[in-house]
Amino acid sequence: MTRWLVALGFALAAVLAASVLGGLPLLQTLELKTYDARMRQVATGEGASPAISMVLIDDHSIRQLEPVVGRWPWPRLVHAVLVNYLKRGGAKLVVYDVLFSEADKGRHDVLGTEWTGAESDQAFVDAVKDAGNVILAAEASSEGTVSGENTQPPLGGIPALATHWPVDGFAEKRPLLVPPFPALAQAARGIGHARTALDLDGPLRRTIPFVEVAGRIVPSLPAAAALLATGTPASAVIPSRSQLRIGDRHVPWIEQTVPDYYGPSQVVWRPLVPFRGPTLKADGQPTYRSYSFQDLFLAEQQIMGNETPHLDPATFKDQIVVVGVTAEGLRDLFTTPLGEGRMPGAEVHANVIDGMLSGHAIAPAAPAPRIAAALVPALAVAAVGALGAPWITALAAALMAGGLTWYATRALGQGEWLPLVVPLVAVALTFLADLAWMYFVEGREKRRVKRLFSRYVSKDVYQQLIASPTEAVLGGERREMSVLFSDMRGFTTLSESGEAEDLVRQLNQYFTRMVDVVFAHRGTVDKFVGDMVMALYGAPLDDPDHADHAVQTALAMVRELEQLNRLWAVEGRAALDIGIGINTGDMIAGNIGSASIMSYTVIGDNVNLGARLESLNKDFGTRILISEATRRQLKGQYDLRPLGDVMVKGKTRAVQVYEVRCVSPLA
């Protein structure tokens, strides 16, 4: 129960911490980057309105028309030709994303005819007025003030700006609006500002539906197009803190705080651009049909010359046509979430118009889904952590992260921006907290138990059980191995006269040295019985040199005891001696005992013989005795003295016994 409460606490704390961290600029930028990545997955170009087209003033048009109309900027007459052509084709609206803020004062040679700037301007004014469906761009500056020398008419004096849109308090304040030159502004069906909204990390993700200049509300180019295309009256435009209602359509927007020319900042409401797709879809087709300005200009010239145009003006019947600039160096290209190069402003406007007309929009997720997206995965990871090993928890965290990413991407495709970074951070923090708990709390206890456990069994048995816990079951296997029995001589007599504390300390010193010797020669300490040590060679791990390692251990034990005796003599303690017996043969090794208490040991006749050989040292006055079976397995050269055949208790046949006196270099 405690572990579950800890897991719950981890999840809740992680979500809270992630929410706080989510307010940091770094994570906010990271969230925008994940938004861009998801947008690239869902904005495939499908569903784009076929009723929206683009006419682009591209590099090709500028090059091709230069011999005919001169260098850019073109005379206004050139734009009049385009407007006349689109009127001829029956276009519904022409949204002109080009600024015409000043009257033309030059002279131009167009198609062999010389035009004054005023004549060229008038031709454009007449074309716009005659078409009756042209929306022109105005520049909404964020800096400066209206100059006393400004000759532009009051905004209320321009019919296209006469409507009062009831979005007071929700329109972004700007100090200056520069509309088209007066005559052109008077002729336009509508005027919209061309102000863009770039996020701090660079891309254009949002649009500014309305600005307020000197108390006058001005819609953006796409907003003006949507309002005029749907015939929405001012009374049907209703703003709220969560959305802008345009008739029966709803445009969600997000509250932001941005720098303000009036002071340090202002609160604004900006909708996300509901991008339908990149400029070119995966199949190479454009998301929105686009045409080069030069093609339409040439088609109108062909019609004026009584020729069949290469591009039928009827192509644009009932179309909303966005005219914009894509030529390099004209600064109307923007980085967008779609990340496929820079998108022209005209195409951004096309996406916004499409969204406003179709109802396709992107709304920020409501609080409940946002909380659930962070809390549910964090709880899931915490629950797995309470039950599973760290690698299982890591796998669960990875699955949760993948599932979150998939779900958030799917939600964006359905028009909901569900934050992804905060939930991912919550999952990561939950996993790290659980990992820390496992290591510093549960791991500390486990490490303590392991340290204690490793003191009761040899390191080989310990490592084998740690690596394969399932082997800790009752049962064994027959294997060829060597067994060593070592018994201290004289300790029984000493224990009868010595102090208990001194005896235990002396015995511990002895066992410490002997156990180190066993481990140094790949042996396993089976058990201690009084002052006797039992060691195994060739189990639980295979050792082809088990007989040699057992004999080498015996010789090392004798040397270690001699060193101890010298130390004890200095301390005034009695010297001790040792007897060692070694036998080799088939034995049964495994876990023997009960289901609740078991011990890894060996049993069999050959084990008993090893113990009998250790006892025979008293009869022969020797220290190390080995059997004939052990001698046959030795690969090294040792000083062996045969003692003949000996009848050992429990055996019906005599056993040949050898004394190991010293060791020579191994062969």
Side-chain angles (χ1 to χ4, degrees):
M1 184 64 180
T2 301
R3 186 64 178 88
W4 285 103
L5 291 176
V6 169
L8 176 61
F10 284 161
L12 295 176
V15 171
L16 180 60
S19 300
V20 173
L21 292 174
L24 297 176
L26 176 62
L27 291 191
Q28 289 179 340
T29 300
L30 185 59
E31 174 62 36
L32 292 176
K33 298 305 182 186
T34 67
Y35 173 88
D36 295 348
R38 285 175 278 164
M39 180 61 73
R40 289 192 289 272
Q41 296 297 315
V42 301
T44 61
E46 301 302 321
S49 173
I52 299 176
S53 302
M54 295 187 297
V55 175
L56 304 175
I57 302 172
D58 51 13
D59 289 309
H60 173 73
S61 296
I62 290 178
R63 286 194 303 270
Q64 292 297 315
L65 291 182
E66 184 174 349
V68 180
V69 302
R71 301 180 64 182
W72 179 269
W74 295 328
R76 307 289 165 69
L77 175 65
V78 177
H79 299 286
V81 172
L82 177 71
V83 172
N84 289 333
Y85 174 81
L86 292 173
K87 177 180 181 298
R88 188 189 303 275
K92 185 173 186 177
L93 284 176
V94 179
V95 182
Y96 232 105
D97 187 23
V98 180
L99 295 173
F100 302 104
S101 56
E102 296 180 354
D104 190 348
K105 299 179 176 61
R107 301 184 69 86
H108 310 281
D109 185 1
V110 180
L111 297 174
T113 303
E114 188 172 289
W115 297 72
T116 65
E119 292 172 334
S120 179
D121 281 348
Q122 190 59 48
F124 189 29
V125 170
D126 292 342
V128 169
K129 186 174 182 179
D130 186 49
N133 63 351
V134 180
I135 303 173
L136 297 172
E139 180 181 4
S141 174
S142 60
E143 297 178 355
T145 58
V146 179
S147 169
E149 299 177 358
N150 190 338
T151 58
Q152 305 299 342
L155 298 183
I158 301 175
L161 296 175
T163 303
H164 175 72
W165 302 102
V167 292
D168 304 74
F170 293 91
E172 296 190 27
K173 294 182 179 180
R174 290 289 179 262
L176 179 67
L177 183 80
V178 182
F181 63 88
L184 186 60
Q186 294 284 342
R189 170 74 181 281
I191 291 177
H193 74 82
R195 182 72 185 170
T196 56
L198 303 181
D199 284 330
L200 292 178
D201 60 330
L204 189 158
R205 301 184 182 92
R206 312 169 203 261
T207 184
I208 304 174
F210 292 94
V211 297
E212 179 182 345
V213 182
R216 177 66 63 180
I217 305 296
V218 181
S220 65
L221 270 175
L227 291 166
L228 291 174
T230 57
T232 303
S235 59
V237 177
I238 304 173
S240 67
R241 297 183 67 87
S242 61
Q243 65 180 7
L244 175 68
R245 181 177 173 184
I246 301 177
D248 58 354
R249 296 169 176 82
H250 301 269
V251 180
W253 53 20
I254 300 174
E255 183 178 336
Q256 284 185 293
T257 302
V258 298
D260 180 17
Y261 74 97
Y262 285 127
S265 62
Q266 67 168 310
V267 176
V268 298
W269 283 265
R270 294 175 175 176
L272 291 162
V273 178
F275 290 102
R276 284 291 192 179
T279 299
L280 294 177
K281 297 185 290 187
D283 59 3
Q285 297 299 312
T287 296
Y288 294 100
R289 289 187 300 168
S290 61
Y291 304 86
S292 176
F293 188 104
Q294 184 264 347
D295 288 335
L296 277 68
F297 183 88
L298 177 59
E300 178 64 12
Q301 295 304 309
Q302 290 170 336
I303 294 173
M304 295 296 293
N306 295 319
E307 299 177 24
T308 301
H310 70 283
L311 180 61
D312 188 348
T315 302
F316 299 94
K317 184 173 178 57
D318 295 326
Q319 291 279 303
I320 296 177
V321 182
V322 183
V323 183
V325 179
T326 63
E328 290 293 334
L330 298 186
R331 299 182 300 176
D332 198 39
L333 299 172
F334 301 93
T335 301
T336 69
L338 301 182
E340 48 120 32
R342 307 187 75 189
M343 180 178 286
E347 189 168 357
V348 175
H349 295 326
N351 278 275
V352 177
I353 294 170
D354 190 354
M356 288 185 170
L357 294 179
S358 66
H360 173 59
I362 299 174
R370 292 163 66 100
I371 295 173
L375 187 58
V376 172
L379 287 173
V381 172
V384 173
L387 295 174
W391 72 268
I392 298 178
T393 309
L395 178 61
L399 291 175
M400 287 297 105
L404 271 171
T405 302
W406 173 83
Y407 183 79
T409 303
R410 181 174 177 271
L412 188 63
Q414 296 177 347
E416 181 182 45
W417 179 11
L418 184 68
L420 181 57
V421 169
V422 166
L424 289 179
V425 170
V427 167
L429 291 178
T430 302
F431 169 67
L432 292 175
D434 184 79
L435 194 64
W437 174 270
M438 287 184 179
Y439 182 82
F440 291 108
V441 180
E442 294 180 349
R444 179 180 59 194
E445 182 65 19
K446 290 179 180 178
R447 287 190 295 273
R448 189 179 70 84
V449 172
K450 287 179 180 179
R451 285 195 299 270
L452 292 173
F453 180 61
S454 64
R455 296 176 185 175
Y456 288 91
V457 298
S458 76
K459 63 178 181 180
D460 294 329
V461 175
Y462 168 72
Q463 294 293 347
Q464 188 178 50
L465 291 177
I466 291 298
S468 303
T470 55
E471 295 185 10
V473 294
L474 294 176
E477 59 177 339
R478 185 178 297 277
R479 60 196 302 159
E480 184 181 70
M481 54 185 293
S482 296
V483 63
L484 178 151
F485 288 89
S486 169
D487 189 34
M488 185 184 293
R489 299 285 186 255
F491 187 76
T492 301
T493 302
L494 185 63
S495 64
E496 294 175 353
S497 58
E499 293 292 335
E501 292 79 3
D502 292 338
L503 293 174
V504 171
R505 183 163 54 253
Q506 189 172 4
L507 187 60
N508 285 340
Q509 285 181 314
Y510 169 79
F511 279 147
T512 298
R513 294 286 189 95
M514 297 303 109
V515 168
D516 288 344
V517 169
V518 172
F519 288 170
H521 293 86
R522 299 187 62 183
T524 296
V525 176
D526 182 291
K527 63 173 66 73
F528 301 103
V529 180
D531 57 5
M532 186 268 289
V533 178
M534 176 180 174
L536 313 177
Y537 297 84
L541 303 179
D542 291 334
D543 180 6
D545 300 322
H546 53 81
D548 284 275
H549 288 146
V551 172
Q552 292 165 13
T553 299
L555 292 167
M557 282 180 165
V558 172
R559 290 193 297 270
E560 287 293 325
L561 182 58
E562 290 175 350
Q563 293 180 10
L564 283 172
N565 279 331
R566 287 194 292 270
L567 174 64
W568 290 335
V570 173
E571 296 176 352
R573 299 174 185 272
L576 299 174
D577 204 352
I578 192 172
I580 302 171
I582 301 172
N583 186 37
T584 300
D586 287 342
M587 307 174 194
I588 297 174
N591 295 309
I592 298 173
S594 70
S596 58
I597 300 177
M598 64 184 72
S599 174
Y600 186 89
T601 189
V602 292
I603 58 175
D605 274 349
N606 285 315
V607 179
N608 297 333
L609 179 56
R612 300 289 185 269
L613 292 177
E614 183 275 318
S615 298
L616 284 176
N617 280 292
K618 299 176 184 177
D619 298 334
F620 287 105
T622 56
R623 285 180 168 175
I624 305 173
L625 293 180
I626 65 173
S627 66
E628 170 65 19
T630 300
R631 187 197 66 78
R632 288 197 303 268
Q633 293 281 352
L634 293 177
K635 300 176 183 178
Q637 298 298 319
Y638 305 90
D639 186 358
L640 304 179
R641 182 171 70 94
L643 299 179
D645 294 339
V646 177
M647 287 299 299
V648 179
K649 182 179 179 182
K651 290 286 186 179
T652 58
R653 291 187 299 176
V655 177
Q656 192 170 4
V657 179
Y658 295 83
E659 178 191 5
V660 181
R661 293 191 295 190
C662 62
V663 64
S664 300
L666 294 179

